[in-house]
């Protein structure tokens, strides 16, 4: 169970944000921030995330949605938490199906395959229950999330990953768009390969029992924090199987039954602008 602790001061939140900001600016992972905000202080961790999000928006980035993490009970137990987390997706994180992603676009990249949902209505009012969330979803697509950590060696606690935007890096959406009336997220089966080798498998039930219920959790949590989900946004609902690292030149394919395949290739070398 999370330990009780005194409130984290603004100076510590500022220092944690500065550490993670430096990692992003220099493309060099830094030490964890739990020495500043604690391992499991949810409010402090989201305060750091919100500060960094506000800075990105102020610099011109546009929010395109959210990603949900820690949807696996096993991973929650590993980090000593009893709930998922979420991060913010920005326009510069989005890649089209079959894109080539610079290997240095994301620090310490690891990949997950999941179901993404696109919203056709705001989720800001009402009970935000399963029926309302399902009605708000226009379609589902297969997705690859490219997770990344600004924390060296992925040495993360719950507080570290939340502060670090839930280890969000980039995402790739498949081209096949399927309404929920024609697709059962719980029954969906996922297979992900890297360079032709199967590295991850799973089902929709691995994501909080139902990926739509993950969106229900997110809708309520986002509203609590003052930034509700909006029409047009993408929600990455959580991994359907284990995360896997990638290296320069890796070719990734993920197949989700009912949604088809989504693919991405990583460049063989760093981008010229790095």
């Amino acid at each position: 169970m999370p330990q009780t602790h005194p409130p984290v001061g603004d100076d510590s939140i500022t220092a944690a944000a500065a550490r993670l900001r430096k990692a992003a600016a220099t493309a060099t992972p830094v030490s964890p921030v739990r020495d500043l905000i604690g391992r499991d202080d949810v409010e402090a961790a989201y305060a750091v995330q919100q500060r960094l999000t506000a800075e990105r928006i102020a610099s011109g980035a546009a929010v395109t949605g959210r990603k949900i993490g820690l949807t696996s009970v096993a991973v929650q137990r590993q980090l000593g938490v009893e709930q998922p987390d979420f991060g913010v997706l920005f326009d510069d994180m989005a890649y089209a199906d079959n894109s080539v992603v610079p290997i240095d676009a994301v620090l310490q990249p690891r990949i997950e395959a999941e179901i993404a949902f696109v919203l056709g209505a705001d989720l800001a009012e009402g009970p935000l229950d399963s029926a309302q969330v399902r009605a708000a979803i226009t379609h589902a697509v297969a997705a690859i999330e490219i997770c990344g950590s600004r924390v060296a060696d992925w040495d993360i606690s719950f507080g570290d990953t939340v502060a670090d935007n839930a280890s969000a890096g980039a995402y790739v959406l498949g081209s096949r768009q399927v309404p929920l009336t024609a697709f059962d997220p719980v029954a969906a089966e996922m297979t992900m390969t890297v360079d032709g080798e199967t590295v991850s498998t799973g089902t929709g039930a691995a994501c909080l029992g139902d990926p739509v219920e993950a969106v229900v959790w997110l809708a309520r949590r986002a509203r609590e924090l003052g930034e509700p989900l909006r029409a047009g946004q993408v929600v990455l609902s959580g991994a359907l199987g284990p995360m896997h690292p990638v290296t320069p030149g890796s070719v990734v394919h993920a197949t989700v039954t009912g949604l088809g395949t989504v693919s991405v290739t990583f460049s063989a070398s760093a981008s010229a602008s790095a």
Side-chain angles (χ1 to χ4, degrees):
M1 295 292 292
Q3 299 176 348
T4 58
H5 37 62
V8 173
D10 188 67
D11 287 349
S12 294
I13 291 170
T14 298
R19 188 179 297 175
L20 293 170
R21 186 187 309 113
K22 179 180 179 181
T26 63
T28 303
V30 294
S31 60
V33 296
R34 54 183 175 267
D35 62 315
L36 298 168
I37 62 170
R39 296 183 62 89
D40 53 20
D41 190 317
V42 177
E43 291 185 1
Y46 278 113
V48 175
Q49 182 189 123
Q50 287 177 318
R51 185 165 299 188
L52 293 170
T53 294
E55 291 175 2
R56 290 196 65 173
I57 293 171
S59 68
V63 174
T64 55
R66 307 291 208 290
K67 63 148 288 181
I68 309 173
L70 304 180
T71 53
S72 161
V73 173
V75 175
Q76 289 181 14
R77 289 173 179 165
Q78 182 181 17
L79 293 181
V81 298
E82 298 176 341
Q83 62 176 311
D85 69 350
F86 77 84
V88 180
L89 301 177
F90 296 95
D91 52 350
D92 61 358
M93 294 180 175
Y95 289 87
D97 193 11
N98 293 304
S99 290
V100 176
V101 174
I103 190 62
D104 57 348
V106 176
L107 275 179
Q108 307 181 102
R110 298 180 179 184
I111 50 168
E112 297 177 338
E114 50 200 90
I115 298 167
F117 299 103
V118 177
L119 301 178
D122 291 352
L123 289 171
E125 307 292 341
L128 301 184
D129 56 12
S130 181
Q132 182 181 356
V133 168
R134 285 180 175 275
I137 293 171
T138 61
H139 59 267
V141 297
I144 292 171
E145 180 181 355
I146 306 168
C147 302
S149 184
R150 270 60 62 174
V151 176
D153 301 319
W154 278 86
D155 179 16
I156 57 173
S157 67
F158 181 77
D160 295 306
T161 187
V162 171
D164 188 25
N165 199 26
S167 304
Y171 65 98
V172 186
L173 300 183
S175 57
R176 184 178 179 187
Q177 302 177 354
V178 182
L180 289 184
T181 52
F183 171 68
D184 179 5
V186 176
E189 297 181 354
M190 177 278 295
T191 301
M192 182 171 67
T193 66
V194 175
D195 299 329
E197 178 184 354
T198 298
V199 297
S200 182
T201 61
T203 69
C207 180
L208 290 185
D210 181 347
V212 173
E213 290 303 317
V215 184
V216 171
W217 172 86
L218 172 64
R220 293 172 175 173
R221 192 74 180 100
R223 183 171 68 178
E224 287 173 2
L225 292 173
E227 293 294 340
L229 300 177
R230 299 297 184 184
Q233 291 186 341
V234 175
V235 176
L236 301 180
S237 61
L240 303 186
M243 184 165 55
H244 193 274
V246 289
T247 56
S250 291
V251 179
V252 182
H253 299 285
T255 301
V256 179
T257 55
L259 298 179
T261 299
V262 56
S263 303
V264 65
T265 299
F266 289 85
S267 66
S269 59
S271 59
S273 59

